[in-house]
């Protein structure tokens, strides 16, 4: 196999993002060196985020934005600090502009219970939670984000927008993800989560889902109303596989999902468009614990594994696919052996020690 180089735009951002990114790059480098068949060129840009806004007055430099546009993938730590805000009062969020600009319509949020992590539900089946929340990320109720209409002091309005092209692409991605999971696990389903019983926009979303489901007859297609889905995520989350939904529903249910499997430090995320992929933990910059060696790096490590998997699919590179599996397996085994014990849920390990636990586990996985 020829040696392929992948250019990764690295944006550490703010708070714990700047602390977790260096160990993540270290793990990625180690995997690449071990493989010998691919390598990474990391272009790190510190000129993006809330701290950068404070010193420069812009949320992300044009140069950093362009590096992100040109890169094979974007790896982001976390952006935003509650103490630094735009004149409108909203937080600094250039990654939301990236979603729009790079058409990152599909927010892939795995929710998986790892061994020896807190079980929020007493039912033993909670150990089996393993699902993907696929959140549309450019329209829905976020369509008028920052442009909502405020009418005097008596009313405020936002618009929910569902379009056919975006919904088709989103549903197709859901079925692609389900098919890959079926190949590994023997079964897969996609559940359309909506409120089609009340809103025309969601009936339209469901209609398009059904059309795309008909083109994917090998995958079981299901429906659930969002309120029932919230109930079911607490009552029987182990019964769900891939869940596809509108932006705001996904925003809310994916945090619920993160909570089910331990906390935000366990919640990775891939934001995918046709030509770009941005990978970041679902959590924020956690200023309350920043600079104290307390962060759980798991979500960022798992986001890096999602990046490897996505690059593998695009490049048709099986060594990258193996690397993605190796990184996820390293995390899984570090938990199951009791060697990874993040402080986030009562463990004794800060960022440094948690990194060491995953890094040692990765060495063992790569050696086999
Ligand atoms: P945002 O709106 O930018 O997503 P947020 O305001 O929801 O951010 P976070 O920064 O995600 O908040 O933090 C929420 C809580 O979770 C905080 O108490 C924080 O310390 C904790 N937290 C978030 N990420 C981690 C992590 N990786 N490790 C440990 N604790 C974390």
């Amino acid at each position: 196999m020829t040696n392929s180089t992948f250019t990764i735009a690295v944006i550490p951002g703010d708070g714990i993002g700047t602390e977790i990114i260096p160990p993540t790059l270290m793990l990625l480098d180690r995997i690449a060196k071990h493989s010998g068949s691919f390598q990474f060129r990391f272009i790190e840009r510190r000129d993006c985020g809330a701290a950068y806004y404070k010193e420069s007055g812009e949320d992300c430099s044009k140069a950093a934005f362009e590096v992100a546009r040109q890169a094979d993938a974007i790896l982001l730590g976390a952006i935003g600090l509650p103490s630094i805000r735009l004149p409108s009062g909203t937080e600094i969020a250039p990654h939301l502009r990236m979603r729009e600009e790079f058409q990152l319509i599909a927010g892939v949020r795995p929710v998986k219970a790892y061994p020896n992590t807190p079980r929020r539900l007493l039912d033993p089946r909670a150990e089996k939670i393993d699902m993907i929340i696929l959140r549309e990320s450019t329209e829905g109720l976020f369509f008028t984000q920052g442009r909502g209409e405020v009418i005097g002091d008596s009313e405020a309005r936002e618009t929910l927008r569902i379009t056919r092209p975006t919904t088709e692409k989103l549903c197709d991605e859901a079925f692609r993800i389900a098919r890959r999971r079926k190949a590994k696990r023997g079964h897969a389903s996609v559940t359309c989560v909506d409120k089609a019983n009340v809103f025309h926009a969601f009936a339209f979303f469901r209609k398009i889902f059904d059309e795309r489901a008909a083109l994917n007859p090998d995958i079981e297609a299901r429906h659930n109303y969002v309120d029932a889905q919230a109930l079911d995520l607490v009552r029987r989350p182990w019964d769900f596989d891939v869940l596809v939904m509108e932006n705001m529903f996904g925003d809310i249910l994916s945090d619920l999902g993160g909570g089910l499997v331990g906390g935000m430090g366990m919640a990775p995320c891939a934001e995918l468009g046709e030509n770009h992929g941005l990978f970041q933990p679902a959590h924020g910059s956690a200023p309350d614990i920043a600079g104290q060696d307390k962060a759980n790096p798991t979500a960022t490590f798992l986001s890096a594994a999602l990046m490897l998997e996505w690059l593998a699919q695009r490049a048709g590179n099986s060594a990258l696919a193996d690397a993605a599996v190796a990184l996820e397996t390293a995390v899984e085994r570090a938990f199951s052996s009791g060697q990874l014990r993040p402080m986030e849920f009562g463990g004794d390990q800060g960022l440094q020690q948690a990194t060491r636990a995953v890094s040692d586990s990765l060495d063992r996985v790569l050696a086999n």
Side-chain angles (χ1 to χ4, degrees):
M1 186 182 291
T2 54
N3 191 323
S4 324
T5 301
F6 296 91
T7 302
I8 313 296
V10 179
I11 301 175
D14 300 301
I16 63 169
T18 63
E19 299 167 28
I20 303 177
I21 283 292
T24 308
L25 301 187
M26 180 271 288
L27 295 179
L28 287 170
D29 258 338
R30 171 132 2 135
I31 287 175
K33 282 205 182 73
H34 178 269
S35 156
S37 56
F38 60 85
Q39 60 190 19
F40 297 112
R41 187 165 75 99
F42 297 123
I43 307 183
E44 196 168 324
R45 301 299 306 213
R46 301 249 157 191
D47 44 353
C48 197
Y52 176 68
Y53 174 82
K54 194 175 177 192
E55 71 191 45
S56 70
E58 58 178 1
D59 62 0
C60 188
S61 76
K62 282 199 177 61
F65 217 93
E66 279 316 301
V67 165
R69 188 193 308 278
Q70 300 300 331
D72 293 307
I74 306 159
L75 182 64
L76 200 148
I79 283 188
L81 291 170
S83 56
I84 302 175
R85 289 176 187 265
L86 295 169
S88 62
T90 55
E91 280 195 41
I92 311 303
H95 50 303
L96 300 187
R97 280 201 290 125
M98 287 182 189
R99 266 185 205 163
E100 194 59 44
E101 181 85 11
F102 303 153
Q103 279 298 291
L104 306 172
I105 66 151
V108 181
R109 299 183 165 206
V111 176
K112 181 172 169 179
Y114 284 88
N116 294 323
T117 54
R119 259 202 254 135
R120 307 291 179 198
L121 303 177
L122 294 177
D123 192 306
R125 287 173 291 181
E127 281 175 7
K128 295 198 177 70
I129 295 173
D130 182 359
M131 64 186 141
I132 302 281
I133 292 185
L134 186 61
R135 166 191 176 184
E136 197 291 315
S137 303
T138 56
E139 51 185 40
L141 193 52
F142 283 68
F143 174 58
T144 44
Q145 180 194 332
R147 297 179 284 121
E149 194 187 353
V150 179
I151 304 158
D153 200 28
S154 60
E155 197 174 323
R157 296 177 188 173
E158 303 278 346
T159 301
L160 184 146
R161 181 182 196 229
I162 302 290
T163 68
R164 172 172 280 282
T166 297
T167 309
E168 284 183 352
K169 283 182 209 152
L170 182 78
C171 293
D172 289 350
E173 182 64 26
F175 286 105
R176 267 195 299 275
I177 292 171
R179 189 162 296 110
R180 287 198 295 273
R181 287 165 69 83
K182 187 172 180 179
K184 283 189 208 149
R185 301 142 39 112
H187 62 92
S189 68
V190 181
T191 304
C192 175
V193 179
D194 57 48
K195 192 73 183 167
N197 50 338
V198 176
F199 296 99
H200 288 172
F202 287 115
F204 182 59
F205 186 91
R206 182 179 284 211
K207 178 170 97 114
I208 295 170
F209 171 82
D210 288 343
E211 290 169 11
R212 304 319 277 186
L215 300 175
N216 294 276
D218 55 320
I219 306 292
E220 184 191 353
R222 306 182 190 167
H223 305 99
N224 211 356
Y225 296 130
V226 65
D227 40 349
Q229 187 64 59
L231 182 69
D232 285 342
L233 281 181
V234 176
R235 225 167 34 164
R236 50 183 190 99
W238 42 85
D239 283 344
F240 295 94
D241 188 11
V242 180
L243 302 161
V244 61
M245 64 198 78
E246 176 271 338
N247 205 341
M248 180 64 107
F249 291 166
D251 189 30
I252 297 167
L253 293 188
S254 60
D255 269 30
L256 170 49
L260 283 176
V261 294
M264 294 312 288
M266 297 301 296
C269 176
E271 303 197 16
L272 308 179
E274 276 174 312
N275 302 310
H276 301 272
L278 184 154
F279 302 84
Q280 63 168 334
H283 60 74
S285 63
D288 54 333
I289 58 164
Q292 301 168 47
D293 189 33
K294 285 185 177 169
N296 177 4
T298 306
T300 310
F301 294 166
L302 292 173
S303 302
L306 292 175
M307 181 179 84
L308 294 171
E309 193 186 345
W310 182 75
L311 286 170
Q313 287 152 23
R314 287 172 70 83
N317 185 322
S318 62
L320 271 170
D322 293 344
V325 173
L327 185 49
E328 215 243 309
T329 306
V331 169
E332 172 125 34
R333 292 199 186 153
F335 275 120
S336 61
S337 63
Q339 278 156 320
L340 177 56
R341 303 178 300 273
M343 273 182 197
E344 185 185 16
F345 26 82
D348 57 344
Q349 292 175 337
L351 173 59
Q352 305 291 333
Q353 281 182 295
T355 298
R356 172 76 58 83
V358 175
S359 159
D360 290 349
S361 178
L362 181 64
D363 284 344
R364 285 190 292 275
V365 169
L366 294 177
N368 285 327

